[in-house]
Amino acid sequence: MATVLLDEKGLAPAICQNIETGEILMLGYVSPGALKRTLEGGEVWFYSRSRSDLWHKGEVSGNYMRIRSASVDCDGDVILLKVVPDGPICHTGNPTCFFTPFDELPEFEAPEKGPGILEELYSVIQDRRESMPEGSYTTELLQSGPDRIAQKVIEEAGEAAIAGVKQDGEHLADELADLLYHSLVLMSATGVRPEDVWTALRERRS
């Protein structure tokens, strides 16, 4: 059985190649949930890092990619999806996203991102929200609704505050982890993205 290594955000890069022409069409990122939908449904799904949610490629443009085969490289950290595209794949209208050549070192930008584990955990929570597997505590929370989840956030905040007053570092770390987890579940239930929080935090640096 193949093994895919996920990055610190719980995602893996997936290269899409036109099976008929051999042309590389695009690179996206998949979560386990997105890859499961791709393999079961026959059309490519990604995990949108900007929206922090599953993304059905072509849902806006109508240019879907129909999967014909999937494989993973020798290191287990890159997926190759061979597909039949319904039309131009790039949002610019180009048939491929790789249409900007360069022959000298390009400029580089390093986007500001939140801690990787939070993005990874949020990705898992989003997958749970889509599939609602039985026996999952996250599923139970999401099914209970925002009111109950918010109540749990309040409870965990209180427990974290008590551990802080007692200067109990070990328990404080655990309680803060519980607080962050329940906060992420509340974000998922109400449609708030991690990047929305990172943006708000950046505004507090002054």
Side-chain angles (χ1 to χ4, degrees):
M1 177 179 291
T3 299
V4 175
L5 302 178
L6 302 178
D7 64 17
E8 70 277 7
K9 298 176 183 176
L11 306 174
I15 298 170
C16 294
Q17 181 183 29
N18 188 323
I19 195 171
E20 297 175 343
T21 67
E23 186 176 36
I24 300 300
L25 301 175
M26 65 171 292
L27 181 145
Y29 286 83
V30 296
S31 63
L35 190 56
K36 182 174 185 291
R37 288 192 171 214
T38 296
L39 297 176
E40 291 181 351
E43 294 178 348
V44 176
W45 285 71
F46 293 108
Y47 186 88
S48 170
R49 295 174 297 169
S50 61
R51 301 199 310 263
S52 298
D53 204 353
L54 297 181
W55 165 39
H56 188 187
K57 176 62 179 173
E59 62 185 352
V60 175
S61 67
N63 297 327
Y64 299 97
M65 290 191 293
R66 308 185 189 281
I67 187 168
R68 290 296 179 264
S69 70
S71 56
V72 63
D73 74 339
C74 57
D75 294 323
D77 55 6
V78 179
I79 295 170
L80 175 63
L81 303 177
K82 294 188 177 182
V83 303
V84 176
D86 284 346
I89 292 306
C90 184
H91 71 281
T92 63
N94 283 279
T96 170
C97 293
F98 296 96
F99 59 87
T100 306
F102 59 87
D103 53 13
E104 59 183 18
L105 193 66
E107 296 181 0
F108 293 93
E109 293 182 4
E112 295 185 83
K113 287 287 185 180
I117 185 59
L118 293 181
E119 294 275 5
E120 178 183 349
L121 181 55
Y122 190 80
S123 171
V124 172
I125 292 169
Q126 290 289 80
D127 284 344
R128 296 291 184 274
R129 184 170 64 85
E130 293 291 335
S131 58
M132 291 293 190
E134 293 184 5
S136 165
Y137 176 61
T138 302
T139 296
E140 179 183 334
L141 277 176
L142 290 168
Q143 289 176 336
S144 70
D147 288 353
R148 174 56 182 159
I149 301 169
Q151 182 180 347
K152 287 295 297 181
V153 170
I154 293 172
E155 292 173 4
E156 299 299 344
E159 293 176 5
I162 292 171
V165 169
K166 293 181 177 179
Q167 299 187 37
D168 186 345
E170 180 178 351
H171 285 93
L172 177 58
D174 288 338
E175 298 299 347
L176 287 173
D178 286 341
L179 174 59
L180 289 170
Y181 162 74
H182 286 89
S183 297
L184 289 172
V185 176
L186 182 60
M187 289 163 56
S188 177
T190 55
V192 175
R193 305 172 305 160
E195 187 56 36
D196 297 332
V197 179
W198 310 152
T199 298
L201 285 173
R202 292 184 196 114
E203 295 172 354
R204 288 161 171 74
R205 289 182 294 190
S206 58

